[in-house]
Amino acid sequence: DELAKNAAYIGTPGKGILAADESTGTIGKRLASINVENVEENRRALRELLFTAPGALQFISGVIFFEETLYQKTASGKLFVDVLKESGVLPGIKVDTGTVVLNGTNDETFTQGLDGLAQRCQKYYEAGARFAKWRAVLKIGTIEPTELAIQENANGLAMYSAICQQCGLVPIVEPEILVDGPHDINKCAAVTERVLAACYKALNDHHVMLEGTLLKPNMVTPGSDSPKVAPEVIAEHTVRALQRTVPPAVPAVVFLSGGQSEEEATINLNAMNKLKTKKPWSLSFSFGRALQQSTLKAWGGKAENLAKAQEAFLVRCKANSEATLGTYKGDAKLGEGAAESLHVKDYKY
Amino acid sequence: MASASATLLKSSPIIDKSEWIKGQNLRHPSVCFVRSHPTSAAFTVRASSYADELVKTAKTVASPGRGILAMDESNATCGKRLASIGLENTEANRQAYRTLLVSAPGLGDYISGAILFEETLYQSTIDGKKMVDVLVEQKIVPGIKVDKGLVPLPGSNNESWCQGLDGLSSRTAAYYQQGARFAKWRTVVSIPNGPSALAVKEAAWGLARYAAISQDSGLVPIVEPEILLDGDHGIDRTFEVAQKVWAEVFFYLAENNVMFEGILLKPSMVTPGAECKDKATPQQVADYTLKLLHRRIPPAVPGIMFLSGGQSEVEATLNLNAMNQSPNPWHVSFSYARALQNTCLKTWGGRPENVKAAQDSLLVRAKANSLAQLGKYTGEGESEEAKKGMFVKGYVY
């Protein structure tokens, strides 16, 4: 079955996902941070830089696109999707249309994008996409996440997943629990388990074929205002949460980085893969900021920095590839900004 | 930590397919809901800043002797109506027809609310007055259909679900600006196709989300889970399905903090399926339907406005009348489209010279249903046309 095959391929040990699906607004913030204007050509150039970085694609099994990028080409006129296909990388597409405040809550949100989704997915499949992504967001507070927020987000994820599968796209299920807050790692673990349980209940109610899905959760960590803990502690809490909620039918778990620095994210992923315990799904990455940060800084928008930027990108790709195998030694040449925290309080994607 | 997950799993009213087939007693949803952390007192039932207005609007629509005229046919559906009298589906024709309806003199004596399609909300009559203003002058509250129609539900047994939540918050706010004071969202459940637990849950959840958003924008939500008439099932099966659907609807409405005093319901009556060989008398329909309402509808809900769903004009009136022979805790009334418009449409036939006669026939039906709401309908002088069934198999709205 095509869905199960593609999902399994994405979780190939040694590979992971590059999340390059920043919306036009969000990519604008990235470009602004290196003083580059947010115009289509610059957005195209940045993505081309990433996709054509020599040697990088071998460590990538999939790339998530934003709609604009799905139809863009390299400077020499080749469609990005074709560039990826030639290197055995699956194109993916972000299909949600953003979050909206959930009325009656204290700024909790739900994700929109279901109206007309089937037609859009068909179009994306025709353009070459083979997987999709939908980001639901929850937060930890005194009473949050509320039952309403959990149910609404789980339901949205399940409906989106069912529609995607009908259109031949593997749905990435992403229930991100934001890291903001003073809570400790145990609180994060409890909430993560509750949320994942609700997600899988909803997915099962909607008859989603789990073998043809991927999970993109947050790692279980202390809140951003709480003292840090060792990677091994993060690894233990995270894997335990997954063991308690994620059925083995799911082929791979591709973590989001959620504001961790490039190096932090890699080291945590590595610790998880070194852990000797039951792990029926492969544990890999789906990083946006944590793969692009130092690359972005090295590029600075200047064509003459191309090679330097692509090298920085290759360094992170290789490091994360090793992390999926548990063999990362922490010796990646740290580019500027690789150790810099990427956390933005109350981050609006 | 494992207990938290187990608690969560118990909290949803899940009924698997095998229970459906056996037609057993269904678990009541409120039994096992346990929160895994201390109750959040701050976020129990609350409506929006429009709370008082919502209650007032709902009460106005649910006033004695009055009901709703549903004239929110989408352009495509309106096209079918116009085609049946040989008219082209143009904006001008739709405008002419809706003008005829809203200007029927004295309509407001029998009609408390009119549901419009978006086009009509922003239209003027052929005399250049805003449709909304004409209605308000007639003491009729303008309402607006906000759903975006039914689409196939993946993973179900060929069932549908209702779209329309994307951007609903801004849309409802805009409709309020334009003068709408209530909203409508129609989802369907099909008995021949199960219904599957998924379809029921999706229908109920969508309604609950729409209702919460509407209230936030000052619109009284009409909650309409139509259990389609299609099928050869008997009245007992309809009753069983209706109990389940309404249980879930109210459970999710509560979950979404919807204020019950500010909603209206638009259910289908409990009847046998259209192809069932056993017909039911108005008395039977009334008995079954009232039993359902008593078991499932909290008294805080001010009005229950039945849909006609393909019954003939007279049938729909007789059934309503039978339900109002003794006092009910909620206003039991009508929200009819075909059962109010059918004869009127045919009488008009698209000719300006027939407008008055058409309006008269609309008023005849409106008055009949008004009497039925008061339990005083006698059925004298009904035309043959009015008694003809309007059921269309597999009707796509």
PDB file of all heavy atoms in Angstrom, chain A residues 102-104 112-116 143 148 152 155 159 193-194 201 207 244, chain B residues 1 8 14 43 155 163-164 166-167 201-202 205 209 212-213 216 256:
ATOM      1  N   LEU A 102      -9.739  29.648  20.439  1.00  0.00           N
ATOM      2  CA  LEU A 102     -10.892  28.815  20.770  1.00  0.00           C
ATOM      3  C   LEU A 102     -11.746  29.608  21.731  1.00  0.00           C
ATOM      4  O   LEU A 102     -11.345  29.906  22.849  1.00  0.00           O
ATOM      5  CB  LEU A 102     -10.369  27.536  21.429  1.00  0.00           C
ATOM      6  CG  LEU A 102     -11.224  26.296  21.530  1.00  0.00           C
ATOM      7  CD1 LEU A 102     -11.819  25.948  20.191  1.00  0.00           C
ATOM      8  CD2 LEU A 102     -10.364  25.146  22.013  1.00  0.00           C
ATOM      9  N   ASN A 103     -12.951  29.983  21.289  1.00  0.00           N
ATOM     10  CA  ASN A 103     -13.785  30.855  22.091  1.00  0.00           C
ATOM     11  C   ASN A 103     -14.110  30.231  23.443  1.00  0.00           C
ATOM     12  O   ASN A 103     -14.412  29.057  23.543  1.00  0.00           O
ATOM     13  CB  ASN A 103     -15.065  31.212  21.351  1.00  0.00           C
ATOM     14  CG  ASN A 103     -15.584  30.041  20.536  1.00  0.00           C
ATOM     15  OD1 ASN A 103     -14.824  29.335  19.886  1.00  0.00           O
ATOM     16  ND2 ASN A 103     -16.859  29.812  20.583  1.00  0.00           N
ATOM     17  N   GLY A 104     -14.049  31.038  24.444  1.00  0.00           N
ATOM     18  CA  GLY A 104     -14.369  30.575  25.789  1.00  0.00           C
ATOM     19  C   GLY A 104     -13.164  30.036  26.535  1.00  0.00           C
ATOM     20  O   GLY A 104     -13.294  29.593  27.664  1.00  0.00           O
ATOM     21  N   GLN A 112      -7.406  25.575  11.712  1.00  0.00           N
ATOM     22  CA  GLN A 112      -8.366  25.573  10.613  1.00  0.00           C
ATOM     23  C   GLN A 112      -7.763  24.962   9.358  1.00  0.00           C
ATOM     24  O   GLN A 112      -6.551  24.828   9.252  1.00  0.00           O
ATOM     25  CB  GLN A 112      -8.804  27.006  10.300  1.00  0.00           C
ATOM     26  CG  GLN A 112      -9.596  27.630  11.424  1.00  0.00           C
ATOM     27  CD  GLN A 112     -10.238  28.935  11.002  1.00  0.00           C
ATOM     28  OE1 GLN A 112     -11.399  29.186  11.301  1.00  0.00           O
ATOM     29  NE2 GLN A 112      -9.499  29.763  10.298  1.00  0.00           N
ATOM     30  N   GLY A 113      -8.650  24.652   8.391  1.00  0.00           N
ATOM     31  CA  GLY A 113      -8.162  24.140   7.112  1.00  0.00           C
ATOM     32  C   GLY A 113      -8.955  22.979   6.550  1.00  0.00           C
ATOM     33  O   GLY A 113      -8.623  22.453   5.497  1.00  0.00           O
ATOM     34  N   LEU A 114     -10.045  22.584   7.235  1.00  0.00           N
ATOM     35  CA  LEU A 114     -10.775  21.411   6.753  1.00  0.00           C
ATOM     36  C   LEU A 114     -11.676  21.688   5.560  1.00  0.00           C
ATOM     37  O   LEU A 114     -11.906  20.814   4.737  1.00  0.00           O
ATOM     38  CB  LEU A 114     -11.622  20.826   7.890  1.00  0.00           C
ATOM     39  CG  LEU A 114     -10.833  20.166   9.010  1.00  0.00           C
ATOM     40  CD1 LEU A 114     -11.780  19.699  10.102  1.00  0.00           C
ATOM     41  CD2 LEU A 114     -10.022  18.988   8.485  1.00  0.00           C
ATOM     42  N   ASP A 115     -12.197  22.906   5.465  1.00  0.00           N
ATOM     43  CA  ASP A 115     -13.122  23.197   4.371  1.00  0.00           C
ATOM     44  C   ASP A 115     -12.407  23.023   3.033  1.00  0.00           C
ATOM     45  O   ASP A 115     -11.381  23.639   2.786  1.00  0.00           O
ATOM     46  CB  ASP A 115     -13.677  24.621   4.490  1.00  0.00           C
ATOM     47  CG  ASP A 115     -14.603  24.768   5.709  1.00  0.00           C
ATOM     48  OD1 ASP A 115     -14.871  23.762   6.385  1.00  0.00           O
ATOM     49  OD2 ASP A 115     -15.041  25.892   5.972  1.00  0.00           O
ATOM     50  N   GLY A 116     -12.987  22.218   2.155  1.00  0.00           N
ATOM     51  CA  GLY A 116     -12.399  22.026   0.823  1.00  0.00           C
ATOM     52  C   GLY A 116     -11.071  21.297   0.832  1.00  0.00           C
ATOM     53  O   GLY A 116     -10.346  21.292  -0.170  1.00  0.00           O
ATOM     54  N   ILE A 143      -4.877  25.683  34.172  1.00  0.00           N
ATOM     55  CA  ILE A 143      -5.930  24.732  33.839  1.00  0.00           C
ATOM     56  C   ILE A 143      -5.806  24.218  32.409  1.00  0.00           C
ATOM     57  O   ILE A 143      -6.579  23.406  31.957  1.00  0.00           O
ATOM     58  CB  ILE A 143      -7.336  25.340  33.987  1.00  0.00           C
ATOM     59  CG1 ILE A 143      -7.455  26.597  33.102  1.00  0.00           C
ATOM     60  CG2 ILE A 143      -7.636  25.648  35.433  1.00  0.00           C
ATOM     61  CD1 ILE A 143      -8.887  27.020  32.874  1.00  0.00           C
ATOM     62  N   LEU A 148     -11.745  20.742  26.272  1.00  0.00           N
ATOM     63  CA  LEU A 148     -12.277  21.254  25.009  1.00  0.00           C
ATOM     64  C   LEU A 148     -11.160  21.426  23.985  1.00  0.00           C
ATOM     65  O   LEU A 148     -11.278  20.995  22.833  1.00  0.00           O
ATOM     66  CB  LEU A 148     -12.971  22.596  25.252  1.00  0.00           C
ATOM     67  CG  LEU A 148     -13.459  23.334  23.998  1.00  0.00           C
ATOM     68  CD1 LEU A 148     -14.442  22.482  23.228  1.00  0.00           C
ATOM     69  CD2 LEU A 148     -14.094  24.664  24.395  1.00  0.00           C
ATOM     70  N   GLU A 152     -10.984  19.302  20.543  1.00  0.00           N
ATOM     71  CA  GLU A 152     -11.116  20.002  19.263  1.00  0.00           C
ATOM     72  C   GLU A 152      -9.876  19.785  18.405  1.00  0.00           C
ATOM     73  O   GLU A 152      -9.956  19.518  17.216  1.00  0.00           O
ATOM     74  CB  GLU A 152     -11.347  21.491  19.521  1.00  0.00           C
ATOM     75  CG  GLU A 152     -11.307  22.361  18.287  1.00  0.00           C
ATOM     76  CD  GLU A 152     -12.294  21.956  17.197  1.00  0.00           C
ATOM     77  OE1 GLU A 152     -13.322  21.351  17.523  1.00  0.00           O
ATOM     78  OE2 GLU A 152     -12.009  22.242  16.015  1.00  0.00           O
ATOM     79  N   ASN A 155      -9.689  16.123  17.235  1.00  0.00           N
ATOM     80  CA  ASN A 155     -10.684  15.891  16.201  1.00  0.00           C
ATOM     81  C   ASN A 155     -10.236  16.463  14.858  1.00  0.00           C
ATOM     82  O   ASN A 155     -10.372  15.820  13.813  1.00  0.00           O
ATOM     83  CB  ASN A 155     -12.003  16.547  16.610  1.00  0.00           C
ATOM     84  CG  ASN A 155     -13.172  15.934  15.905  1.00  0.00           C
ATOM     85  OD1 ASN A 155     -13.312  14.726  15.898  1.00  0.00           O
ATOM     86  ND2 ASN A 155     -13.994  16.747  15.295  1.00  0.00           N
ATOM     87  N   MET A 159      -9.669  14.238  11.464  1.00  0.00           N
ATOM     88  CA  MET A 159     -10.420  14.478  10.236  1.00  0.00           C
ATOM     89  C   MET A 159      -9.460  14.779   9.088  1.00  0.00           C
ATOM     90  O   MET A 159      -9.592  14.256   7.986  1.00  0.00           O
ATOM     91  CB  MET A 159     -11.378  15.657  10.446  1.00  0.00           C
ATOM     92  CG  MET A 159     -12.234  15.925   9.243  1.00  0.00           C
ATOM     93  SD  MET A 159     -13.290  14.533   8.838  1.00  0.00           S
ATOM     94  CE  MET A 159     -14.790  15.082   9.540  1.00  0.00           C
ATOM     95  N   GLU A 193       1.125  12.792  27.513  1.00  0.00           N
ATOM     96  CA  GLU A 193       0.452  11.493  27.464  1.00  0.00           C
ATOM     97  C   GLU A 193      -1.045  11.654  27.265  1.00  0.00           C
ATOM     98  O   GLU A 193      -1.667  10.930  26.492  1.00  0.00           O
ATOM     99  CB  GLU A 193       0.751  10.705  28.744  1.00  0.00           C
ATOM    100  CG  GLU A 193       2.176  10.177  28.754  1.00  0.00           C
ATOM    101  CD  GLU A 193       2.609   9.668  30.118  1.00  0.00           C
ATOM    102  OE1 GLU A 193       1.732   9.269  30.907  1.00  0.00           O
ATOM    103  OE2 GLU A 193       3.829   9.665  30.378  1.00  0.00           O
ATOM    104  N   ARG A 194      -1.630  12.629  27.967  1.00  0.00           N
ATOM    105  CA  ARG A 194      -3.074  12.855  27.849  1.00  0.00           C
ATOM    106  C   ARG A 194      -3.435  13.263  26.428  1.00  0.00           C
ATOM    107  O   ARG A 194      -4.403  12.783  25.840  1.00  0.00           O
ATOM    108  CB  ARG A 194      -3.459  13.957  28.828  1.00  0.00           C
ATOM    109  CG  ARG A 194      -4.906  13.951  29.181  1.00  0.00           C
ATOM    110  CD  ARG A 194      -5.122  14.792  30.424  1.00  0.00           C
ATOM    111  NE  ARG A 194      -6.250  15.669  30.197  1.00  0.00           N
ATOM    112  CZ  ARG A 194      -6.249  16.983  30.383  1.00  0.00           C
ATOM    113  NH1 ARG A 194      -5.176  17.585  30.838  1.00  0.00           N
ATOM    114  NH2 ARG A 194      -7.324  17.683  30.139  1.00  0.00           N
ATOM    115  N   LYS A 201      -7.090   8.151  20.058  1.00  0.00           N
ATOM    116  CA  LYS A 201      -8.514   7.787  20.162  1.00  0.00           C
ATOM    117  C   LYS A 201      -9.254   8.371  18.973  1.00  0.00           C
ATOM    118  O   LYS A 201     -10.039   7.702  18.295  1.00  0.00           O
ATOM    119  CB  LYS A 201      -9.072   8.353  21.469  1.00  0.00           C
ATOM    120  CG  LYS A 201     -10.570   8.244  21.594  1.00  0.00           C
ATOM    121  CD  LYS A 201     -10.978   6.812  21.860  1.00  0.00           C
ATOM    122  CE  LYS A 201     -12.469   6.695  22.067  1.00  0.00           C
ATOM    123  NZ  LYS A 201     -13.218   6.570  20.844  1.00  0.00           N
ATOM    124  N   HIS A 207     -11.123   5.964  11.765  1.00  0.00           N
ATOM    125  CA  HIS A 207     -10.659   4.854  10.917  1.00  0.00           C
ATOM    126  C   HIS A 207      -9.442   5.231  10.085  1.00  0.00           C
ATOM    127  O   HIS A 207      -9.329   4.853   8.922  1.00  0.00           O
ATOM    128  CB  HIS A 207     -11.790   4.372   9.999  1.00  0.00           C
ATOM    129  CG  HIS A 207     -13.052   4.066  10.750  1.00  0.00           C
ATOM    130  ND1 HIS A 207     -13.142   3.025  11.650  1.00  0.00           N
ATOM    131  CD2 HIS A 207     -14.239   4.687  10.780  1.00  0.00           C
ATOM    132  CE1 HIS A 207     -14.353   3.022  12.181  1.00  0.00           C
ATOM    133  NE2 HIS A 207     -15.044   4.015  11.678  1.00  0.00           N
ATOM    134  N   ARG A 244       3.597   4.615  26.182  1.00  0.00           N
ATOM    135  CA  ARG A 244       2.290   4.515  26.820  1.00  0.00           C
ATOM    136  C   ARG A 244       1.144   4.905  25.912  1.00  0.00           C
ATOM    137  O   ARG A 244      -0.018   4.633  26.218  1.00  0.00           O
ATOM    138  CB  ARG A 244       2.255   5.428  28.055  1.00  0.00           C
ATOM    139  CG  ARG A 244       3.075   4.899  29.193  1.00  0.00           C
ATOM    140  CD  ARG A 244       3.182   5.916  30.297  1.00  0.00           C
ATOM    141  NE  ARG A 244       3.779   5.322  31.491  1.00  0.00           N
ATOM    142  CZ  ARG A 244       4.007   5.992  32.609  1.00  0.00           C
ATOM    143  NH1 ARG A 244       3.685   7.266  32.689  1.00  0.00           N
ATOM    144  NH2 ARG A 244       4.550   5.392  33.643  1.00  0.00           N
TER     145      ARG A 244
ATOM    146  N   MET B   1       0.599   7.789  35.843  1.00  0.00           N
ATOM    147  CA  MET B   1       0.341   8.477  34.579  1.00  0.00           C
ATOM    148  C   MET B   1      -0.585   7.656  33.691  1.00  0.00           C
ATOM    149  O   MET B   1      -1.378   8.188  32.939  1.00  0.00           O
ATOM    150  CB  MET B   1       1.660   8.728  33.831  1.00  0.00           C
ATOM    151  CG  MET B   1       2.528   9.753  34.538  1.00  0.00           C
ATOM    152  SD  MET B   1       1.672  11.318  34.721  1.00  0.00           S
ATOM    153  CE  MET B   1       1.620  11.453  36.489  1.00  0.00           C
ATOM    154  N   LEU B   8      -9.179   9.420  30.346  1.00  0.00           N
ATOM    155  CA  LEU B   8      -9.520  10.149  29.125  1.00  0.00           C
ATOM    156  C   LEU B   8     -10.317   9.257  28.184  1.00  0.00           C
ATOM    157  O   LEU B   8     -11.323   9.649  27.615  1.00  0.00           O
ATOM    158  CB  LEU B   8      -8.232  10.625  28.444  1.00  0.00           C
ATOM    159  CG  LEU B   8      -8.521  11.422  27.165  1.00  0.00           C
ATOM    160  CD1 LEU B   8      -9.122  12.761  27.538  1.00  0.00           C
ATOM    161  CD2 LEU B   8      -7.235  11.628  26.402  1.00  0.00           C
ATOM    162  N   ILE B  14     -18.579   6.511  23.338  1.00  0.00           N
ATOM    163  CA  ILE B  14     -18.324   5.751  22.111  1.00  0.00           C
ATOM    164  C   ILE B  14     -19.257   4.565  22.025  1.00  0.00           C
ATOM    165  O   ILE B  14     -19.370   3.787  22.952  1.00  0.00           O
ATOM    166  CB  ILE B  14     -16.887   5.185  22.108  1.00  0.00           C
ATOM    167  CG1 ILE B  14     -15.896   6.291  22.419  1.00  0.00           C
ATOM    168  CG2 ILE B  14     -16.581   4.523  20.789  1.00  0.00           C
ATOM    169  CD1 ILE B  14     -15.172   6.040  23.678  1.00  0.00           C
ATOM    170  N   PHE B  43     -14.184  28.347  33.868  1.00  0.00           N
ATOM    171  CA  PHE B  43     -14.679  28.182  32.517  1.00  0.00           C
ATOM    172  C   PHE B  43     -15.857  27.230  32.397  1.00  0.00           C
ATOM    173  O   PHE B  43     -15.926  26.427  31.501  1.00  0.00           O
ATOM    174  CB  PHE B  43     -13.522  27.755  31.605  1.00  0.00           C
ATOM    175  CG  PHE B  43     -12.511  28.849  31.483  1.00  0.00           C
ATOM    176  CD1 PHE B  43     -11.316  28.749  32.171  1.00  0.00           C
ATOM    177  CD2 PHE B  43     -12.776  29.998  30.767  1.00  0.00           C
ATOM    178  CE1 PHE B  43     -10.385  29.768  32.109  1.00  0.00           C
ATOM    179  CE2 PHE B  43     -11.859  31.030  30.699  1.00  0.00           C
ATOM    180  CZ  PHE B  43     -10.653  30.915  31.370  1.00  0.00           C
ATOM    181  N   GLY B 155     -13.854   7.224   5.888  1.00  0.00           N
ATOM    182  CA  GLY B 155     -13.854   6.231   6.961  1.00  0.00           C
ATOM    183  C   GLY B 155     -15.248   5.903   7.446  1.00  0.00           C
ATOM    184  O   GLY B 155     -15.414   5.200   8.432  1.00  0.00           O
ATOM    185  N   GLN B 163     -19.402  20.983   6.351  1.00  0.00           N
ATOM    186  CA  GLN B 163     -18.274  21.921   6.382  1.00  0.00           C
ATOM    187  C   GLN B 163     -18.736  23.317   6.778  1.00  0.00           C
ATOM    188  O   GLN B 163     -19.908  23.629   6.693  1.00  0.00           O
ATOM    189  CB  GLN B 163     -17.654  22.046   4.987  1.00  0.00           C
ATOM    190  CG  GLN B 163     -16.925  20.838   4.511  1.00  0.00           C
ATOM    191  CD  GLN B 163     -16.166  21.141   3.242  1.00  0.00           C
ATOM    192  OE1 GLN B 163     -15.026  20.763   3.090  1.00  0.00           O
ATOM    193  NE2 GLN B 163     -16.803  21.830   2.316  1.00  0.00           N
ATOM    194  N   GLY B 164     -17.750  24.179   7.114  1.00  0.00           N
ATOM    195  CA  GLY B 164     -18.087  25.577   7.330  1.00  0.00           C
ATOM    196  C   GLY B 164     -17.451  26.236   8.530  1.00  0.00           C
ATOM    197  O   GLY B 164     -17.696  27.408   8.798  1.00  0.00           O
ATOM    198  N   ASP B 166     -14.170  26.907   9.034  1.00  0.00           N
ATOM    199  CA  ASP B 166     -13.056  27.804   8.728  1.00  0.00           C
ATOM    200  C   ASP B 166     -13.553  29.231   8.591  1.00  0.00           C
ATOM    201  O   ASP B 166     -14.473  29.511   7.823  1.00  0.00           O
ATOM    202  CB  ASP B 166     -12.368  27.388   7.420  1.00  0.00           C
ATOM    203  CG  ASP B 166     -11.564  26.102   7.573  1.00  0.00           C
ATOM    204  OD1 ASP B 166     -11.541  25.531   8.687  1.00  0.00           O
ATOM    205  OD2 ASP B 166     -10.954  25.667   6.590  1.00  0.00           O
ATOM    206  N   GLY B 167     -12.931  30.137   9.328  1.00  0.00           N
ATOM    207  CA  GLY B 167     -13.308  31.548   9.218  1.00  0.00           C
ATOM    208  C   GLY B 167     -14.709  31.858   9.715  1.00  0.00           C
ATOM    209  O   GLY B 167     -15.222  32.959   9.506  1.00  0.00           O
ATOM    210  N   LYS B 201     -20.931  11.269  15.774  1.00  0.00           N
ATOM    211  CA  LYS B 201     -20.021  12.100  16.553  1.00  0.00           C
ATOM    212  C   LYS B 201     -19.620  13.342  15.778  1.00  0.00           C
ATOM    213  O   LYS B 201     -19.616  14.451  16.301  1.00  0.00           O
ATOM    214  CB  LYS B 201     -18.777  11.295  16.937  1.00  0.00           C
ATOM    215  CG  LYS B 201     -17.902  12.018  17.947  1.00  0.00           C
ATOM    216  CD  LYS B 201     -16.458  11.643  17.827  1.00  0.00           C
ATOM    217  CE  LYS B 201     -15.719  12.689  17.027  1.00  0.00           C
ATOM    218  NZ  LYS B 201     -14.315  12.399  16.810  1.00  0.00           N
ATOM    219  N   GLU B 202     -19.300  13.164  14.507  1.00  0.00           N
ATOM    220  CA  GLU B 202     -18.876  14.283  13.690  1.00  0.00           C
ATOM    221  C   GLU B 202     -19.996  15.301  13.542  1.00  0.00           C
ATOM    222  O   GLU B 202     -19.786  16.506  13.626  1.00  0.00           O
ATOM    223  CB  GLU B 202     -18.417  13.769  12.332  1.00  0.00           C
ATOM    224  CG  GLU B 202     -17.799  14.808  11.443  1.00  0.00           C
ATOM    225  CD  GLU B 202     -16.705  15.610  12.126  1.00  0.00           C
ATOM    226  OE1 GLU B 202     -15.853  14.999  12.791  1.00  0.00           O
ATOM    227  OE2 GLU B 202     -16.733  16.854  12.005  1.00  0.00           O
ATOM    228  N   TRP B 205     -20.388  17.077  16.967  1.00  0.00           N
ATOM    229  CA  TRP B 205     -19.263  17.948  17.299  1.00  0.00           C
ATOM    230  C   TRP B 205     -19.269  19.202  16.426  1.00  0.00           C
ATOM    231  O   TRP B 205     -19.042  20.312  16.892  1.00  0.00           O
ATOM    232  CB  TRP B 205     -17.938  17.188  17.166  1.00  0.00           C
ATOM    233  CG  TRP B 205     -16.774  17.975  17.652  1.00  0.00           C
ATOM    234  CD1 TRP B 205     -15.863  18.658  16.894  1.00  0.00           C
ATOM    235  CD2 TRP B 205     -16.402  18.216  19.020  1.00  0.00           C
ATOM    236  NE1 TRP B 205     -14.952  19.295  17.709  1.00  0.00           N
ATOM    237  CE2 TRP B 205     -15.256  19.044  19.003  1.00  0.00           C
ATOM    238  CE3 TRP B 205     -16.929  17.816  20.255  1.00  0.00           C
ATOM    239  CZ2 TRP B 205     -14.627  19.474  20.176  1.00  0.00           C
ATOM    240  CZ3 TRP B 205     -16.291  18.246  21.418  1.00  0.00           C
ATOM    241  CH2 TRP B 205     -15.160  19.068  21.379  1.00  0.00           C
ATOM    242  N   ARG B 209     -19.400  23.088  17.829  1.00  0.00           N
ATOM    243  CA  ARG B 209     -18.386  24.111  17.516  1.00  0.00           C
ATOM    244  C   ARG B 209     -19.049  25.318  16.854  1.00  0.00           C
ATOM    245  O   ARG B 209     -18.779  26.472  17.192  1.00  0.00           O
ATOM    246  CB  ARG B 209     -17.319  23.529  16.566  1.00  0.00           C
ATOM    247  CG  ARG B 209     -16.510  22.390  17.153  1.00  0.00           C
ATOM    248  CD  ARG B 209     -15.498  22.828  18.179  1.00  0.00           C
ATOM    249  NE  ARG B 209     -14.727  23.936  17.700  1.00  0.00           N
ATOM    250  CZ  ARG B 209     -14.638  25.123  18.312  1.00  0.00           C
ATOM    251  NH1 ARG B 209     -15.240  25.332  19.451  1.00  0.00           N
ATOM    252  NH2 ARG B 209     -13.924  26.075  17.772  1.00  0.00           N
ATOM    253  N   ALA B 212     -21.033  27.373  19.422  1.00  0.00           N
ATOM    254  CA  ALA B 212     -20.191  28.182  20.308  1.00  0.00           C
ATOM    255  C   ALA B 212     -19.699  29.435  19.597  1.00  0.00           C
ATOM    256  O   ALA B 212     -19.733  30.539  20.148  1.00  0.00           O
ATOM    257  CB  ALA B 212     -19.016  27.350  20.804  1.00  0.00           C
ATOM    258  N   ILE B 213     -19.244  29.263  18.360  1.00  0.00           N
ATOM    259  CA  ILE B 213     -18.733  30.403  17.608  1.00  0.00           C
ATOM    260  C   ILE B 213     -19.856  31.397  17.306  1.00  0.00           C
ATOM    261  O   ILE B 213     -19.677  32.615  17.413  1.00  0.00           O
ATOM    262  CB  ILE B 213     -18.056  29.921  16.302  1.00  0.00           C
ATOM    263  CG1 ILE B 213     -16.798  29.120  16.647  1.00  0.00           C
ATOM    264  CG2 ILE B 213     -17.711  31.088  15.387  1.00  0.00           C
ATOM    265  CD1 ILE B 213     -16.125  28.459  15.471  1.00  0.00           C
ATOM    266  N   ASP B 216     -20.730  33.546  20.259  1.00  0.00           N
ATOM    267  CA  ASP B 216     -19.693  34.552  20.480  1.00  0.00           C
ATOM    268  C   ASP B 216     -19.869  35.771  19.596  1.00  0.00           C
ATOM    269  O   ASP B 216     -19.403  36.860  19.913  1.00  0.00           O
ATOM    270  CB  ASP B 216     -18.323  33.933  20.181  1.00  0.00           C
ATOM    271  CG  ASP B 216     -17.496  33.810  21.430  1.00  0.00           C
ATOM    272  OD1 ASP B 216     -18.091  33.785  22.525  1.00  0.00           O
ATOM    273  OD2 ASP B 216     -16.266  33.766  21.316  1.00  0.00           O
ATOM    274  N   ASN B 256     -18.668  22.474  24.852  1.00  0.00           N
ATOM    275  CA  ASN B 256     -18.223  23.698  24.200  1.00  0.00           C
ATOM    276  C   ASN B 256     -18.764  24.952  24.874  1.00  0.00           C
ATOM    277  O   ASN B 256     -18.695  26.037  24.304  1.00  0.00           O
ATOM    278  CB  ASN B 256     -18.639  23.673  22.721  1.00  0.00           C
ATOM    279  CG  ASN B 256     -17.668  22.877  21.881  1.00  0.00           C
ATOM    280  OD1 ASN B 256     -16.693  23.407  21.375  1.00  0.00           O
ATOM    281  ND2 ASN B 256     -17.924  21.590  21.747  1.00  0.00           N
TER     282      ASN B 256
END
